[in-house]
Amino acid sequence: MGSSDPRLVLLGRQGAGKGTQSTRLAEHYGVMHVSTGDMFRTQAAQGTAFGLEAKRYMDAGELVPDEIVVGVIEESMVPGGPLGGGFVLDGFPRTLHQARELDRVISGDPLDLVIDLDVPREIVFDRIAGRRVCESCQRVYHVNLPPEKDWTCDTCGGDVRQRDDDTEEAVERRLELYERETVPIVQYYRALGLLILVDGVGEGDEVFERLVKVCVEQLS
Ligand code: ADP
Ligand code: ZN
């Protein structure tokens, strides 16, 4: 990597570990972690009109319409905003249209690398069913790996619970949408020479090491 902060995108199925790993990568590089899902959940919890609108789609396991998503991303371009410097994008772009809009929005300073965190469908299903998330800081836990004190977040003390959209039906729907809407982005970034596939199966630490290794190799 040169002197500037990396600009990364992490793609992967729901439950591939994108949230956890992109948070760690962002910390590792000292750049912003930008998750559109977290942005929507925060706004919904605050009860903003926009957040409540997004929540309707999220709870149904639908994608939030592109205009809304791109609007939020564009807002974060303001000087000092998350997309001003280096970043790890998590959950955006998720459609080909969003990928093209991202190119437009950051045209002056393009992406460095797009990582496809690969975990087979059968495995992610189990992971999502057991997933529990901190309502305040969005830290991800699992029923097999809970916080130290009864469902109180180790990081911030917030309530740790199951997300409204982690029901079986909603997950089915989101995985289907991933194949249909997001897989085409993989091809798009491959054609641009930005894509690298990383195996996301295994322990969190192990996967993180793989990611850092790939970044070191690719960003030099
Ligand atoms: P997951 O990857 O498990 O779906 P996220 O937290 O990334 O979890 O997103 C939760 C929900 O927020 C999605 O199911 C979708 O409704 C909405 N969402 C997040 N990012 C986007 C996006 N880039 N485009 C459309 N909808 C999005
Ligand atoms: Zn927390």
Side-chain angles (χ1 to χ4, degrees):
M1 177 187 28
S3 55
S4 65
D5 293 330
R7 295 160 83 83
L8 310 175
V9 170
L10 219 63
L11 299 176
R13 285 196 178 82
Q14 291 74 11
K18 256 186 318 155
T20 310
Q21 298 295 349
S22 55
T23 302
R24 289 181 70 172
L25 265 186
E27 266 168 29
H28 180 81
Y29 282 111
V31 298
M32 299 285 302
H33 169 234
V34 182
S35 156
T36 39
D38 287 353
M39 287 174 171
F40 295 145
R41 278 186 291 276
T42 303
Q43 295 243 2
Q46 290 167 349
T48 67
F50 162 72
L52 294 176
E53 160 116 41
K55 186 169 168 32
R56 282 198 358 236
Y57 294 95
M58 293 167 75
D59 287 352
E62 306 276 347
L63 290 179
V64 175
D66 282 342
E67 315 84 74
I68 298 183
V69 188
V70 173
V72 180
I73 286 292
E74 235 164 347
E75 272 173 28
S76 60
M77 282 298 290
V78 294
L83 294 184
F87 52 72
V88 181
L89 280 181
D90 162 13
F92 178 87
R94 209 176 282 219
T95 64
L96 206 46
H97 178 73
Q98 290 178 16
R100 297 208 174 99
E101 287 295 292
L102 177 63
D103 282 349
R104 178 180 63 77
V105 167
I106 64 164
S107 61
D109 198 352
L111 297 172
D112 295 303
L113 190 63
V114 177
I115 298 170
D116 184 10
L117 189 60
D118 187 39
V119 177
R121 205 187 146 98
E122 312 80 70
I123 297 182
V124 298
F125 223 92
D126 278 358
R127 287 192 187 174
I128 299 178
R131 175 158 77 182
R132 300 292 181 272
V133 184
C134 171
E135 282 184 316
S136 304
C137 77
Q138 318 291 340
R139 179 167 164 184
V140 180
Y141 298 87
H142 192 273
V143 283
N144 299 332
L145 214 65
E148 279 172 28
K149 225 177 77 216
D150 38 64
W151 302 105
T152 301
C153 178
D154 293 338
T155 305
C156 78
D159 282 337
V160 176
R161 56 183 294 269
Q162 185 166 38
R163 267 168 43 179
D164 293 343
D165 61 347
D166 277 350
T167 62
E168 214 167 291
E169 308 79 64
V171 171
E172 278 281 4
R173 176 112 186 86
R174 275 146 68 208
L175 286 172
E176 215 174 276
L177 278 171
Y178 184 82
E179 304 301 325
R180 197 168 73 220
E181 302 288 349
T182 309
V183 169
I185 303 184
V186 171
Q187 265 77 285
Y188 175 80
Y189 286 125
R190 189 177 286 131
L192 291 172
L194 286 173
L195 190 88
I196 186 121
L197 190 82
V198 172
D199 179 8
V201 179
E203 287 291 314
D205 288 349
E206 200 184 318
V207 174
F208 183 64
E209 270 172 39
R210 276 179 219 147
L211 287 168
V212 171
K213 184 159 171 275
V214 159
C215 287
V216 169
E217 285 165 4
Q218 302 291 321
L219 298 173
S220 55

